[in-house]
Amino acid sequence: MARLRLFPISYDVEGRTVVVAGGGEAALAKLRLLVRSKARLVLVAPELDKALADFVRETGVTHVARTLQADDLAGAALLFVASEHEAEAAAVSALGRAAGVPVNVVDRPHLSDFAVPAIVDRAPIAVAISTDGHAPVLAQRVRAAIEALLPPEFGRLGDLAESLRAAVMASLASPRHRRRFWARLFDGRSADLALKGDLTGARRAALAVLGESFSADDGAVWLIGAGPGAIDLLTLRAQRLLQQADIIVHDSAVPSEVVAMGRRDAERIVVEGRGDAEFLLALAREGKQVARLVAGDPRHGRFEDELAAVRAAGLRHELVPGVAVHSSAQSEKAFSHEA
């Protein structure tokens, strides 16, 4: 499995100083992004071009009209270096690192401690797309695709969640029950009201159902087919349930990339052979939502026994067929003939 060189994180800059060093177009591009944050922005440059000077005046960014000095970095959270000259960029980067401030140098990853991803801004929701610094144009294309999927009003769901967080933490002690509440919230009437701009009504509707249907025995078993094992052949339904599961029980034949489609904090258990039904029932009776992930299609073979046992126990369950291997092969063959 490929590994990331740059680990994506969200960095808290609220009320903290973020310094940008540079007086031209690259500095302006960074400030246009940073002004959407709650950071205190300081621009350090002896001179500014007209567009940057206009932007600073309009937004109220603090401008220090000289070259960067060590004192400018006292207590700074981040430093962005926007210089066209390699030697100057290297010197400013070294100054930032000596001060213990993480540095990003525009278009010079070898002088940087971090990279700035392409960002889909639906504040307070943000989606960051990184390519380990190798293909920023590709990241922009991915950003455009995600922009089209998320309406401008999508951030209202984040505002709704923020308004409910304290009440949810006080009412639901179990992390599992809190997670289920949020899942139902974003699929239900409250989310619809929030997207329409009625945050008061959305919050009222959410509080009305807070605590309902979260008993300890609210378990479920989902038999999910992984199909041939390719991530792009996993159904949308399968992906959604893997993201909701508390535990993922899977065969060793299921590729690790498919198992990784589940929640990061979901427990993973590898099982082989027969006799899995009682194990699944025990987990569900503990209130767990269990994804039984199998290679191929769970409608065939020994998995029928597991499904029958779950049905007989009266537990919530669902069967999610996988893409059949022979169907995939036939499709490829048909496509090659058409081509």
Side-chain angles (χ1 to χ4, degrees):
M1 181 184 296
R3 296 177 181 269
L4 295 170
R5 180 176 71 89
L6 300 176
F7 187 76
I9 61 172
S10 295
Y11 198 80
D12 187 359
V13 296
E14 182 174 5
R16 302 183 66 187
T17 299
V18 171
V19 178
V20 178
E25 183 179 349
L28 177 58
K30 283 289 179 272
L31 284 173
R32 282 175 173 158
L33 176 64
L34 290 167
V35 79
R36 293 286 296 146
S37 75
K38 296 181 179 180
R40 174 180 174 267
L41 301 179
V42 177
L43 175 65
V44 183
E47 297 179 354
L48 308 180
D49 66 18
K50 184 180 184 306
L52 180 55
D54 291 344
F55 183 85
V56 168
R57 184 173 57 256
E58 293 167 2
T59 59
V61 171
T62 300
H63 176 216
V64 179
R66 55 171 168 75
T67 57
L68 186 75
Q69 299 177 5
D71 291 346
D72 298 321
L73 299 174
L78 299 170
L79 169 62
F80 293 87
V81 183
S83 174
E84 297 179 359
H85 305 290
E86 177 79 15
E88 180 182 348
V92 177
S93 175
L95 191 64
R97 288 173 168 175
V101 179
V103 180
N104 171 264
V105 182
V106 177
D107 292 335
R108 291 181 174 88
H110 60 288
L111 297 176
S112 302
D113 299 312
F114 66 95
V116 180
I119 296 175
V120 178
D121 184 357
R122 298 291 186 269
I125 306 299
V127 180
I129 304 102
S130 173
T131 60
D132 267 357
H134 301 312
V137 173
L138 176 59
Q140 292 296 333
R141 290 192 177 186
V142 175
R143 172 192 169 189
I146 297 175
E147 290 269 12
L149 291 174
L150 302 181
E153 304 81 12
F154 194 79
R156 293 172 181 170
L157 296 181
D159 293 331
L160 174 63
E162 181 182 10
S163 73
L164 293 169
R165 185 170 181 80
V168 172
M169 294 295 291
S171 299
L172 301 176
S174 165
R176 183 171 69 248
H177 292 164
R178 290 197 295 269
R179 190 164 51 244
R180 293 183 191 177
F181 170 79
W182 292 120
R184 295 180 188 182
L185 174 78
F186 296 129
D187 285 335
R189 180 169 176 267
S190 292
D192 291 338
L193 290 171
L195 289 173
K196 293 175 181 177
D198 185 4
L199 290 177
T200 301
R203 190 172 189 276
R204 186 184 303 115
L207 291 175
V209 299
L210 183 59
E212 293 183 5
S213 302
F214 293 103
S215 59
D217 61 351
D218 191 24
V221 176
W222 305 312
L223 270 73
I224 302 173
I231 293 178
D232 56 353
L233 291 178
L234 199 64
T235 66
L236 294 176
R237 181 68 174 169
Q239 292 182 40
R240 187 169 74 82
L241 291 178
L242 285 173
Q243 283 292 315
Q244 295 179 15
D246 301 308
I247 298 178
I248 300 173
V249 180
H250 64 94
D251 301 334
S252 61
V254 178
S256 59
E257 293 83 358
V258 175
V259 179
M261 297 293 287
R263 289 201 340 262
R264 287 194 303 272
D265 58 340
E267 183 180 357
R268 272 81 161 162
I269 301 175
V270 181
V271 295
E272 300 294 350
R274 303 184 69 85
D276 300 329
E278 288 303 319
F279 179 57
L280 297 178
L281 295 179
L283 293 174
R285 285 167 177 154
E286 293 175 1
K288 306 292 179 60
Q289 293 187 143
V290 185
R292 176 63 169 105
L293 184 60
V294 304
D297 192 330
R299 293 175 298 181
H300 308 295
R302 65 183 177 84
F303 308 110
E304 294 177 351
D305 296 337
E306 296 180 18
L307 180 59
V310 171
R311 285 172 173 166
L315 292 167
R316 288 195 303 121
H317 63 277
E318 186 169 344
L319 177 66
V320 183
V323 175
V325 177
H326 73 276
S327 295
S328 177
Q330 288 175 352
S331 297
E332 290 182 4
K333 183 177 180 181
F335 181 80
S336 65
H337 286 329
E338 291 175 3

